[in-house]
Amino acid sequence: MKYRYLKEHDIDMISIGAAFLGTGGGGDPYLGSLLAKNAIKTYGPIKVISPMDLKDDDIVAPVSSVGAPTIMIEQLPSKDDTENALRLYEEYTGKKINAVMPIEIGGENSLIPMLCAASRDIPVVDADAMGRAFPECQMLTFTIDNHDVGIVTIAGGKNNKAILFPSSQEESEKMARNLAIAYGSSAIMCDNIHSGKIIKQSAVLNSLSMAQNIGEILTKKISPTTKIKQLCDDYHGSVIIEGKIKDVIRRTRDGFVFGEATIISDEEEYTLHFQNEFLLATKNSHPVAMTPDLICILDAKNMLPITTEKMCYGLSVISIALKANHKWYTKKGLELVEPKYFGYDYDYQSVEELKQRKMTNESKRI
């Protein structure tokens, strides 16, 4: 098999890019990078394989943390938990896992698979099942393509572990979320363990490479304006907010962090609404960007991404909206992640459509 090998610099770049693509969620990328770099020091460079180089019958296991990001800061994922979740699958099925992958390209969860990849000397697949981060476990391209969730394993807390047989992707979310809450709102999960053939057909391909490239852009010695232009040009983005955080409200319940961040810009008031991830941006209560589009937040001073748990009063921020993977704009994709699913009373509209609607309404008032 053809591999490329990740070193510490690569981990740093993936961490930054994944935090950007994670739209505020997926866990703290800094903590994930520390865990991955420690794995490199212990076991050597981490192997990455292109999804197109997988054999059709390879068994690929997504490995992720599930729970509330604010809890994960205090309760770090461990190599033992990742290994317990993988071993439980292998012991029950008698099948060997050939590769691992992120379930989402967001924050810490982009790097969790690297712990077991390094210790087991197996590759990480350059792919994920979201192309960003979403808060619930069934919000996957595998679900859009009607693949069963299969056997789910979960480990966490004080060496707890369980094997689940959910009847659907939605039931998997409920069962895993409840166990994660019982384990302290943080656990390691393996779900949607599929063949190489299915990964090539249904995953979001080359997303680790995309994250690494974004990390390289954000750390280049060029002006902030040039960085933003390059990001928007390369990834079909647009700036939607530039301002200062006035207030942040967070509530942890049901294994999620819910909240709103208020941003003041030129005497206009914007609000970012989140459930682990940023899902809706409004200006004076009117939408300017919404899920499944990515709402990405940068610290205006250092041009590094900010997760929901790091949002705080007085921080100057820039928000960029990007297009999601094309599968999210299908009928099935929108049913899974449209604003109304999360309780926001809007039908999905793109950033461009929302801008045009605003301009039309303003012209009618003149």
Side-chain angles (χ1 to χ4, degrees):
M1 287 188 177
K2 299 176 183 177
Y3 303 121
R4 67 183 179 95
Y5 293 84
L6 298 179
K7 298 182 180 180
E8 291 193 20
H9 172 79
D10 304 313
I11 295 296
D12 286 333
M13 296 303 101
I14 291 171
S15 170
I16 292 168
F20 182 80
L21 293 170
T23 63
D28 189 329
Y30 175 70
L31 297 178
S33 70
L34 291 180
L35 294 170
K37 286 192 283 188
N38 183 63
I40 288 174
K41 288 177 180 176
T42 304
Y43 302 105
I46 295 166
K47 295 187 288 192
V48 175
I49 187 172
S50 166
M52 303 315 293
D53 287 333
L54 289 169
K55 297 176 183 176
D56 282 355
D57 59 354
D58 279 339
I59 296 176
V60 181
V63 186
S64 62
S65 57
V66 56
T70 47
I71 302 298
M72 294 174 200
I73 294 175
E74 300 177 5
Q75 190 171 315
L76 286 177
S78 72
K79 183 178 74 66
D80 289 343
D81 288 339
T82 61
E83 184 57 37
N84 281 340
L86 290 172
R87 189 184 299 117
L88 192 56
Y89 174 86
E90 291 179 327
E91 289 174 350
Y92 181 81
T93 64
K95 298 177 181 177
K96 177 176 169 51
I97 290 168
N98 304 111
V100 291
M101 64 177 273
I103 198 71
E104 62 185 358
I105 198 71
E108 185 179 71
N109 264 341
S110 302
L111 301 163
I112 293 296
M114 297 180 187
L115 303 182
C116 40
S119 63
R120 285 179 161 235
D121 193 28
I122 59 175
V124 178
V125 181
D126 191 355
D128 77 297
M130 295 184 189
R132 49 161 296 163
F134 280 118
E136 297 185 12
C137 302
Q138 78 278 9
M139 296 171 175
L140 306 171
T141 51
F142 298 131
T143 311
I144 296 172
D145 288 349
N146 297 313
H147 292 299
D148 292 335
V149 61
I151 292 170
V152 176
T153 58
I154 189 166
K158 297 178 180 178
N159 203 34
N160 298 308
K161 51 189 175 181
I163 185 166
L164 312 177
F165 303 90
S167 59
S168 67
Q169 298 277 9
E170 289 75 15
E171 287 301 311
S172 174
E173 157 64 27
K174 294 175 187 176
M175 295 165 74
R177 187 72 51 183
N178 285 332
L179 269 177
I181 292 169
Y183 293 171
S185 287
S186 178
I188 293 295
M189 177 180 183
C190 291
D191 64 326
N192 285 273
I193 299 172
H194 290 306
S195 68
K197 182 177 181 179
I198 289 176
I199 299 302
K200 287 181 276 191
Q201 292 172 344
S202 292
V204 179
L205 307 183
N206 305 314
S207 50
L208 279 175
S209 294
M210 179 179 175
Q212 187 168 347
N213 185 55
I214 289 173
E216 298 284 1
I217 292 171
L218 290 173
T219 54
K220 276 184 182 178
K221 293 183 178 179
I222 54 178
S223 70
T225 302
T226 305
K227 291 179 182 182
I228 291 170
K229 184 179 186 306
Q230 187 170 349
L231 282 172
C232 291
D233 288 348
D234 289 357
Y235 299 108
H236 310 291
S238 59
V239 176
I240 56 171
I241 306 171
E242 292 186 70
K244 186 171 288 189
I245 297 176
K246 175 186 175 183
D247 190 25
V248 183
I249 299 172
R250 296 184 185 87
R251 303 171 294 279
T252 300
R253 74 171 190 272
D254 302 327
F256 298 103
V257 176
F258 296 84
E260 300 83 35
T262 304
I263 299 169
I264 300 299
S265 174
D266 296 329
E267 299 183 0
E268 302 278 10
E269 186 170 284
Y270 292 83
T271 304
L272 293 172
H273 307 258
F274 56 89
Q275 179 184 328
N276 288 7
E277 285 77 31
F278 298 113
L279 300 171
L280 175 70
T282 58
K283 176 183 178 182
N284 301 327
S285 300
H286 298 289
V288 295
M290 60 181 68
T291 174
D293 291 350
L294 284 71
I295 301 170
C296 311
I297 311 297
L298 294 171
D299 184 322
K301 291 185 178 179
N302 60 23
M303 294 302 291
L304 294 177
I306 305 169
T307 56
T308 54
E309 63 268 25
K310 295 294 180 69
M311 300 281 281
C312 62
Y313 170 81
L315 202 62
S316 293
V317 297
I318 299 169
S319 178
I320 300 173
L322 303 183
K323 298 299 290 183
N325 181 269
H326 65 92
K327 291 190 177 188
W328 293 114
Y329 302 105
T330 62
K331 184 175 183 293
K332 182 71 176 287
L334 287 173
E335 286 174 356
L336 286 169
V337 298
E338 67 182 343
K340 285 184 177 177
Y341 178 88
F342 297 101
Y344 308 118
D345 194 19
Y346 302 109
D347 293 317
Y348 169 74
Q349 288 182 283
S350 68
V351 172
E352 294 78 14
E353 289 171 327
L354 290 168
K355 284 182 179 178
Q356 185 60 44
R357 182 179 177 183
K358 178 177 179 293
M359 290 170 61
T360 302
N361 290 340
E362 288 178 348
S363 66
K364 287 180 180 178
R365 290 197 295 267
I366 296 174

